[in-house]
Amino acid sequence: MAAEVADVPSLRARRPGRTDAQQDTLKFAEAALAESKRQGLLLAVRARWVALAVIAVSLPIINPNWDVIYYVVMLGFFALIGWAQLKVGKVGRSPVEVFLIICDLALITLLTVVPNPFSAESWPIGMQFRFDTFIYFFVFLATATLAYSWRTVVAMGFWTSAVWAIGVGWAYLQPETHAELSERVRAAIGSDLRMFHIINPSSIGIPERFQEIIVFLIVAMTLALAVRRSNALLISHAGLERERANLARYFSPNVVNELSGNDEPLTRVRTQDVAVLFADIVGFTAYSDGRDPKQVIETLRQFHERMEREVFQHGGTLDKYLGDGLMATFGTPFAGDSDALNALRCARGMIASIAELNRERIARNQPPIQVSVGLHYGQVVLGDIGLNRLEFAVIGTTVNAASRLEALTREFGCAIVVSDALVQQARSETSQSSADFASLVEQPAQSIRGLEQPVGIWTCAGVASP
């Protein structure tokens, strides 16, 4: 089993039967797991280095002999292995990381089973197990939970058991070197065989070694369950972040915060007064005719990027893109104190932003674009439509009227056409100022298809070109 961080073999692969939402969740999960792996591995290596430093300082205190330098030097190899793990660590299965983990386990086993070659004492090999160095396996198991998946933690339990069993088996097969010492201990103990096996300096202590493996496996399984639960929570959190990202594509950040704090805030069908804005590139069909498709798409991207920014900066909701245009609403899904005024300011911001874009386009020898905006304020119907793939819909005569007001900009040769209903509502809102209406010119009421009564309008003479 290779070292891994994710609970799924491949988050990138599209699997049959998965919805687009599930695929998006997996993409967010992959990014979240990748970041978690990077942070976890860095934390694990740092924890390793701190632990090794503590051990290096405490060893001479516990064993104040020159031969302890051998173990201090070996600690440097553990630090080097940690550095290598940090360099090669990646999301997914990694044979190199498995090799480095096994190097850790093999090195601990070597230090535990094989006597210090620089030690002046000649002890029975069984004495190596009296120092309880097996507990250091738990340090590496604990740090593994910071960076690896639950599967790898389980695997570490079995890898450790296997390596330890090999080391114990090797020690058991070594020829006895201190038989006389064992006999003297037996004579001192008498017939108490249990006491003899505990005290005998040559005894490997097979039952104790078996107990160590069992306890280690239990701890490994417990930690694996904790890691699995943590990864599940991480993937769940990634799904929530995906939902927030989807909301952020349509709503301003402050609205996203409100939506994420409410249960199903969009499902209730209702009517309320909102400001509706339509923006469109004038003459875009003629502009795109015969041009390089990449250039056409790039122009649309520039347009939508700036329009979207203005909508969100003014607390609006991006309802939908309409090819070379868009629809935005102000006061959805929650009504505010300055919805009409925000819509009016957004329209002016759009025109100013396009004027800035045109200066850049002219500097690149590209033709300028002209944008027209229509605004209306009134009652609309709000609610989700669809069954599995839901869409937050804003419908009603107010929406249709705003679209037709945008079309009137061609007739009046202006950039913005605003309904009198929106202007009067904006004037009643507390944050308004005279500057908000300075460039508006009142025009005769116009008959709008779909409305019984003529609509009073105001125009803004500014144009999008510089």
Side-chain angles (χ1 to χ4, degrees):
M1 181 183 296
E4 56 178 344
V5 68
D7 287 335
V8 290
S10 176
L11 291 175
R12 293 185 179 90
R14 182 179 180 89
R15 296 186 178 181
R18 280 186 176 159
T19 64
D20 290 339
Q22 289 173 324
Q23 288 296 322
D24 289 342
T25 298
L26 287 180
K27 290 179 182 178
F28 273 79
E30 183 180 42
L33 288 170
E35 181 62 25
S36 176
K37 173 66 178 287
R38 285 190 292 269
Q39 294 180 355
L41 191 55
L42 179 61
L43 183 60
V45 173
R46 287 178 175 174
R48 169 195 291 250
W49 288 341
V50 171
L52 292 175
V54 171
I55 295 171
V57 171
S58 60
L59 276 179
I61 299 175
I62 298 172
N63 183 21
N65 296 295
W66 285 106
D67 57 11
V68 80
I69 296 177
Y70 167 73
Y71 297 106
V72 174
V73 172
M74 287 298 175
L75 294 178
F77 285 100
F78 285 114
L80 186 61
I81 293 174
W83 174 84
Q85 289 174 338
L86 187 61
K87 291 298 180 181
V88 304
K90 65 178 183 179
V91 176
R93 293 178 172 87
S94 173
V96 178
E97 287 185 85
V98 172
F99 173 75
L100 292 173
I101 292 173
I102 294 178
C103 284
D104 271 334
L105 304 179
L107 188 55
I108 299 177
T109 303
L110 176 69
L111 294 176
T112 301
V113 175
V114 179
N116 186 341
F118 300 103
S119 177
E121 289 86 1
S122 177
W123 288 348
I125 197 170
M127 289 296 294
Q128 290 293 118
F129 297 96
R130 299 295 194 273
F131 303 126
D132 294 327
T133 49
F134 184 85
I135 59 176
Y136 291 111
F137 282 107
F138 288 97
V139 175
F140 290 94
L141 180 66
T143 55
T145 63
L146 299 174
Y148 298 115
S149 76
W150 66 273
R151 301 176 193 274
T152 303
V153 174
V154 170
M156 278 194 66
F158 287 100
W159 293 336
T160 301
S161 301
V163 173
W164 185 242
I166 292 172
V168 172
W170 175 87
Y172 180 79
L173 295 175
Q174 297 305 302
E176 188 173 357
T177 57
H178 293 71
E180 294 181 359
L181 179 61
S182 297
E183 286 303 322
R184 288 199 297 270
V185 172
R186 183 188 294 274
I189 296 299
S191 60
D192 192 340
L193 294 180
R194 185 179 180 185
M195 179 68 71
F196 171 71
H197 286 303
I198 294 174
I199 299 178
N200 180 15
S202 299
S203 174
I204 302 298
I206 298 299
E208 291 80 2
R209 307 291 78 81
F210 180 76
Q211 178 177 267
E212 289 170 343
I213 290 176
I214 294 300
V215 172
F216 191 84
L217 285 174
I218 292 174
V219 173
M221 298 300 175
T222 304
L223 291 177
L225 288 175
V227 172
R228 185 176 185 180
R229 181 173 180 271
S230 176
N231 279 354
L233 291 174
L234 184 63
I235 293 175
S236 175
H237 178 71
L240 296 177
E241 287 300 313
R242 177 189 62 81
E243 293 172 4
R244 285 180 62 89
N246 285 338
L247 288 174
R249 294 165 56 193
Y250 299 96
F251 303 112
S252 58
N254 58 318
V255 176
V256 171
N257 291 334
E258 293 188 52
L259 290 174
S260 61
N262 291 272
D263 294 330
E264 299 183 347
L266 306 180
T267 56
R268 183 172 58 87
V269 178
R270 61 193 185 278
T271 59
Q272 68 184 56
D273 290 334
V274 303
V276 182
L277 178 152
F278 277 85
D280 187 59
I281 300 178
V282 179
F284 187 76
T285 301
Y287 167 83
S288 58
D289 187 26
R291 290 187 182 275
D292 181 9
K294 292 183 179 179
Q295 185 178 357
V296 173
I297 294 298
E298 180 60 27
T299 299
L300 281 177
R301 286 173 177 168
Q302 293 174 354
F303 165 73
H304 285 305
E305 177 188 1
R306 289 174 176 267
M307 299 301 96
E308 174 186 305
R309 183 168 64 242
E310 292 297 329
V311 170
F312 290 163
Q313 283 182 350
H314 293 88
T317 297
L318 181 59
D319 187 273
K320 60 176 67 71
Y321 288 125
L322 304 168
D324 60 335
L326 61 86
M327 170 185 166
T329 57
F330 297 79
T332 59
F334 310 109
D337 297 330
S338 305
D339 295 330
L341 193 59
N342 286 339
L344 184 59
R345 289 172 176 172
C346 178
R348 295 167 64 114
M350 287 178 168
I351 300 305
S353 181
I354 293 300
E356 179 184 357
L357 173 62
N358 281 333
R359 286 191 288 271
E360 298 175 2
R361 291 176 61 85
I362 291 173
R364 297 192 297 264
N365 294 321
Q366 296 176 341
I369 59 176
Q370 182 176 335
V371 173
S372 58
V373 183
L375 298 165
H376 189 37
Y377 185 85
Q379 194 172 79
V380 298
V381 177
L382 306 175
D384 279 343
I385 59 175
L387 180 61
N388 296 317
R389 192 176 183 86
L390 299 180
E391 178 181 347
F392 182 64
V394 180
I395 57 178
T397 55
T398 299
V399 176
N400 298 333
S403 175
R404 289 169 184 137
L405 289 175
E406 183 275 321
L408 281 179
T409 57
R410 281 72 162 173
E411 180 178 334
F412 284 90
C414 61
I416 304 173
V417 172
V418 189
S419 71
D420 185 66
L422 188 139
V423 172
Q424 297 308 319
Q425 175 63 27
R427 290 187 188 278
S428 69
E429 293 172 348
T430 56
S431 59
Q432 59 88 20
S433 66
S434 58
D436 293 315
F437 312 96
S439 59
L440 294 179
V441 178
E442 188 173 11
Q443 304 290 346
Q446 300 292 312
S447 296
I448 303 295
R449 183 164 55 89
L451 298 181
E452 296 181 358
Q453 299 295 328
V455 176
I457 65 169
W458 298 71
T459 61
C460 179
V463 294
S465 58

